[in-house]
Amino acid sequence: MIATVAGSYQIPTLGLQILLAVVTTSISVPLIYLLRRYVDQRPWSGLGLSSVPSGFRYFLLGIGFLALVTAAALLIGSAAGWLRILDFHFPIVTMLVILINVPIAFFYEAFPEEITFRGYVYRNLNTRFPRWLALVLQVVMFVLAPIAVTAFMVAIGIGTWDLITVEYIINLVAFGTVLQLSRIVSNNLWMSIGFHLAWLEMVRYAVVPSQYAFIEIEYLSVWGSYMVTIGSVIIGIILLIVWSLRSKNRIDWNGIEPDLPPDSNPETKEALPAQSV
């Protein structure tokens, strides 16, 4: 809706993107903080968002994990004959575009969405439901959110249902699952943020059928496109599930994590299951 209103003032595309990024984070993050602090009366730390210095390695882990599953998807797609890797480039223009787009994508999509869904929504669900059910319910809410927004825009006459397709919903289910698994397995929201941001840049600029991409590919079948976009995510889901089942860092999928108020006596708190990378 903001984009529609701003468009009527003929704001340039880059200016509109910056505006949307600023508005989205400026509204969502303070709202989540107020809900967490005054409605739930629970500590902000429960969301899994550590400080930037301590979370930076998890952020890089998310980026590195996306690079790993993308490489696996390219190898599988190439072996299956669905795509062909044509060349590797390091175009200065694309690097500059990514440098401009990264902060926009971070504040418009990756950061506010992860704080909201993989942080706040999941954390509240896991105080009442087992981890596996909290994950499923979070994914359901992640899918319903854009559907509800679209329905509202259609109702007031400024939107259509064109974007809500079966393929779009499947992408949301897979994407919401891999991001929540990243949060659960690493026990840090920064891994989800890093993966989310890296995936956005990958499908937009890094691995596309263009001479301006870092990895120029040619799709020989529609399955090649699916392999890069959703196949990489599914590979990520499989690897994270295997990771969660390792004996050293096994996740208790039936576990419910209590979320005590900030003024609770630390000596009376239940010990939470240790999770490490």
Side-chain angles (χ1 to χ4, degrees), residues 117-184:
F117 290 99
R118 266 62 68 178
Y120 183 78
V121 171
Y122 169 77
R123 191 66 192 89
N124 282 11
L125 288 170
N126 192 213
T127 63
R128 296 175 176 269
F129 305 107
R131 279 191 184 88
W132 70 268
L133 183 54
L135 185 153
V136 171
L137 293 175
Q138 177 276 135
V139 171
V140 171
M141 296 180 73
F142 183 57
V143 173
L144 290 178
I147 294 176
V149 171
T150 301
F152 173 75
M153 294 179 67
V154 170
I156 62 177
I158 61 172
T160 68
W161 290 102
D162 294 347
L163 294 178
I164 307 299
T165 63
V166 173
E167 180 182 340
Y168 177 70
I169 292 175
I170 292 174
N171 281 332
L172 285 180
V173 170
F175 202 49
T177 301
V178 74
L179 290 171
Q180 192 63 74
L181 283 170
S182 297
R183 158 71 173 89
I184 293 172

Side-chain angles (χ1 to χ4, degrees), residues 78-95:
S78 180
W82 297 335
L83 59 85
R84 181 167 59 228
I85 299 175
L86 298 180
D87 207 349
F88 297 89
H89 308 284
F90 294 96
I92 300 299
V93 172
T94 303
M95 295 177 68

Side-chain angles (χ1 to χ4, degrees), residues 194-261:
F195 186 97
H196 192 150
L197 182 62
W199 186 88
L200 292 173
E201 301 307 310
M202 183 270 290
V203 298
R204 290 171 179 170
Y205 308 109
V207 184
V208 292
S210 168
Q211 62 179 338
Y212 294 103
F214 291 131
I215 302 177
E216 183 183 358
I217 59 177
E218 178 185 6
Y219 293 131
L220 305 177
S221 164
V222 67
W223 294 105
S225 175
Y226 292 153
M227 193 67 222
V228 172
T229 55
I230 192 172
S232 58
V233 173
I234 292 175
I235 293 170
I237 291 173
I238 295 171
L239 292 179
L240 287 170
I241 290 175
V242 172
W243 187 1
S244 73
L245 296 177
R246 292 188 309 166
S247 58
K248 180 180 178 181
N249 301 306
R250 184 176 292 272
I251 304 297
D252 178 12
W253 286 105
N254 289 315
I256 297 176
E257 290 191 14
D259 202 2
L260 302 179

Side-chain angles (χ1 to χ4, degrees), residues 2 5 20 22 33 40 49 56 63 67-68 89-90 101 111 131-132 136 138 140 170 186 203 244 251 273:
I2 294 174
V5 174
L20 289 172
V22 171
Y33 176 80
D40 302 334
L49 187 72
F56 187 63
I63 296 174
L68 173 65
H89 308 284
F90 294 96
N101 185 257
F111 188 65
R131 279 191 184 88
W132 70 268
V136 171
Q138 177 276 135
V140 171
I170 292 174
S186 68
V203 298
S244 73
I251 304 297

